[in-house]
Amino acid sequence: MKVIIQYQDNLDVSLHKTLKITLPKSWKNGPTSKLLKQFVESYNGNEAIGPRNPLKEEDLHLEVVPDENSMTDASPVALASDATTIDVIPDRATLAVKHGKAPTIAELNKVEEEKKSKMREAKAAEKALSRCTHFGCQKRFPKGGPYPPCAYHKLPPVFHETAKFWSCCPNKKAYDWDDFQSIPGCLTGTCTDEKVDTTKQFLGGSDLREAAGEKSKLRSIDDFNKEMEGGGSGSGSGGNVLDDMGGVLGKIGVEKELFEQVIQGIKTSLGEGATDAMVEKELG
């Protein structure tokens, strides 16, 4: 078993030292403090740095330096002075010598238990809280009150294609989740934990079509063609291909705003001065 021990916990680079050690078999089952002691003796015995920066074993501890190639985002942790070397130090690991007294296994266990205790307390506290049931309000408060003020939306959200908006505020659309959540509420009042009287917590494209009197079924191409043959106004202006295309897409549920964004994107890619005719040619 081989390890590299480094001391770099000093602003003066000339006082840094690296020691490569091949551990005797007897050291593997011994405490990590034995490695630290060996390094301190080697460091203090160096005539160039020892007298200038004498180290004391009782004021230092070892940390395993995370592997740069590791996929985990591990942070260095102080090794217990009485931990068994082979249990806590991988073969060919790099160890850092740091200032600060080394903890014992009992002390590390106590710290870990305190962390777990705080997590249990946080979960218990969260369970004791209610979440506001108003649309768009994320506030939490003690069960039974007091109830804080809140800004919320009257109606549920709509998630249609890439657009996200509140059905009570259809003119405030977002295409990013964070932007959607930042849309301010249209009503103000007091938080509540009573369930909202609605059958749906969110709406989609079929709900929009149904609300528009189209029910949830899209018209077939045959139905659309029959309407056009009968002199229907399914297309746009009748004189502009893009307008006609927008009208047709609108009939099958594609939002006008989304269509306009696509057209604008094509014009941008074609360059400054791009015309509708150039876009039509690009679309074939």
Side-chain angles (χ1 to χ4, degrees):
M1 181 176 180
K2 298 180 179 181
V3 296
I4 297 174
I5 307 179
Q6 299 176 335
Y7 172 74
Q8 298 178 345
D9 199 12
N10 196 302
L11 295 177
D12 188 347
V13 178
S14 67
L15 297 176
H16 294 180
K17 179 178 174 62
T18 298
L19 182 65
K20 297 181 180 179
I21 301 177
T22 299
L23 304 184
K25 291 183 179 180
S26 60
W27 285 30
K28 296 179 183 179
N29 295 315
T32 61
S33 59
K34 198 161 188 177
L35 278 72
L36 180 60
K37 182 179 180 180
Q38 174 66 27
F39 181 85
V40 171
E41 289 178 354
S42 175
Y43 188 94
N44 290 339
N46 188 309
E47 296 181 357
I49 57 177
R52 296 166 52 208
N53 184 44
L55 300 179
K56 293 182 180 180
E57 180 186 346
E58 59 270 23
D59 296 331
L60 302 167
H61 68 270
L62 293 174
E63 294 179 358
V64 177
V65 178
D67 186 354
E68 293 181 355
N69 298 322
S70 175
M71 298 298 292
T72 58
D73 187 18
S75 299
V77 178
L79 297 178
S81 58
D82 54 346
T84 302
T85 297
I86 199 170
D87 290 341
V88 295
I89 300 177
D91 184 25
R92 301 183 184 279
T94 298
L95 306 177
V97 177
K98 298 287 187 177
H99 288 282
K101 184 180 178 181
T104 62
I105 293 177
E107 290 171 340
L108 288 179
N109 288 341
K110 183 179 179 181
V111 171
E112 186 63 26
E113 182 54 39
E114 288 176 350
K115 288 182 180 179
K116 291 181 180 179
S117 178
K118 288 182 179 179
M119 289 179 64
R120 289 192 292 267
E121 290 175 0
K123 287 183 178 180
E126 186 175 345
K127 287 183 179 180
L129 298 176
S130 294
R131 185 190 294 274
C132 181
T133 55
H134 280 149
F135 291 121
C137 180
Q138 301 294 321
K139 288 185 179 179
R140 288 181 175 273
F141 46 86
K143 290 183 178 180
Y147 299 95
C150 74
Y152 61 98
H153 289 276
K154 182 180 180 180
L155 298 174
V158 177
F159 304 121
H160 180 49
E161 296 178 345
T162 59
K164 305 169 184 65
F165 58 95
W166 296 94
S167 48
C168 51
C169 304
N171 294 326
K172 298 179 180 179
K173 294 183 180 179
Y175 295 87
D176 176 84
W177 183 255
D178 291 336
D179 291 340
F180 167 69
Q181 289 187 311
S182 65
I183 296 175
C186 55
L187 297 176
T188 57
T190 304
C191 287
T192 180
D193 50 11
E194 296 181 4
K195 289 186 178 180
V196 178
D197 185 18
T198 180
T199 57
K200 293 186 177 183
Q201 292 298 307
F202 63 90
L203 305 176
S206 61
D207 298 293
L208 296 180
R209 289 188 291 272
E210 185 174 0
E214 299 177 11
K215 300 183 179 180
S216 60
K217 182 181 179 181
L218 293 174
R219 292 189 307 162
S220 67
I221 295 297
D222 289 339
D223 291 338
F224 177 76
N225 289 337
K226 288 179 181 179
E227 180 184 329
M228 296 302 293
E229 290 174 0
S233 56
S235 63
S237 63
N240 184 291
V241 174
L242 295 182
D243 288 342
D244 292 345
M245 185 180 296
V248 171
L249 293 175
K251 286 287 186 177
I252 61 174
V254 177
E255 291 185 350
K256 180 180 179 182
E257 183 178 351
L258 180 60
F259 174 73
E260 291 175 348
Q261 286 182 351
V262 172
I263 298 302
Q264 186 57 47
I266 296 175
K267 285 184 177 181
T268 301
S269 65
L270 291 174
E272 187 177 352
T275 63
D276 287 353
M278 294 170 65
V279 174
E280 292 168 10
K281 184 177 180 180
E282 185 71 14
L283 293 172

